[in-house]
Amino acid sequence: MTAPGLPRVFIVDDHGLFRAGVRSEIGDHVDVIGEADDVQPAIRKIGELQPDVVLLDVHLPSGGGQAVVSSVKAEHPEIKFLALSASDAPEDVIAAIRAGARGYVTKTISTRELVDAIRRIADGDAVFSPMLAGFVLDAFSTLPRSEEHTSELQSHH
């Protein structure tokens, strides 16, 4: 039996071995309630089970994991997504976030870091691998870096 209050997690990845590994690594710390290996079964099962957090590979056989995020979000906006991918390509990260994922970590992450990331996502935080955070910010910072702030700071000396 899992303790109450653990985040309920659903794993979407097309590699059975990877899913099994993640499940066994994090299973003591979160409640893994289901898994799927492709877009359609994932959308269906996530809708049925309504997990707190979905761990999602961005590359799935029949298309990007983004399709899972956008479909589920349309019906269940409260379900949170953490992209877990072998890819650290900026376009993958940005596509996942645009679709509605709350975080993006790479598969090199340690078990402890992954459990921590899942908990933080469940609590409503956003989580990015450190090396990814920079270009996520760059991609979404619409404001030009203004000169005004620096000159304002200097004038107060």
Side-chain angles (χ1 to χ4, degrees):
M1 276 297 291
T2 51
L6 292 180
R8 296 166 67 251
V9 178
F10 189 95
I11 303 168
V12 184
D13 194 283
D14 59 329
H15 298 106
L17 189 60
F18 182 77
R19 289 196 312 274
V22 170
R23 186 185 271 265
S24 71
E25 286 288 319
I26 68 173
D28 292 343
H29 310 282
V30 300
D31 185 5
V32 179
I33 59 169
E35 53 181 67
D37 61 0
D38 207 352
V39 174
Q40 290 311 318
I43 292 169
R44 193 181 68 247
K45 289 181 182 170
I46 292 166
E48 286 166 14
L49 297 169
Q50 303 201 14
D52 299 316
V53 178
V54 177
L55 274 185
L56 176 79
D57 189 353
V58 292
H59 293 289
L60 294 167
S62 63
Q66 294 88 335
V68 178
V69 182
S70 43
S71 299
V72 171
K73 281 279 187 199
E75 299 283 314
H76 306 285
E78 73 286 354
I79 295 176
K80 301 179 180 77
F81 285 83
L82 173 59
L84 174 66
S85 179
S87 164
D88 57 7
E91 58 273 18
D92 286 335
V93 180
I94 289 158
I97 304 307
R98 286 226 163 97
R102 296 281 305 157
Y104 194 110
V105 294
T106 56
K107 288 183 176 179
T108 54
I109 194 168
S110 74
T111 300
R112 194 176 51 77
E113 289 170 329
L114 180 56
V115 168
D116 184 52
I118 291 168
R119 288 189 179 138
R120 284 166 55 197
I121 293 280
D123 288 343
D125 286 349
V127 179
F128 297 95
S129 292
M131 62 178 187
L132 304 179
F135 60 65
V136 170
L137 289 174
D138 292 343
F140 287 91
S141 63
T142 45
L143 300 169
R145 289 185 170 75
S146 68
E147 313 267 308
E148 292 143 40
H149 296 301
T150 48
S151 57
E152 219 173 80
L153 291 172
Q154 285 154 357
S155 66
H156 289 299
H157 285 304

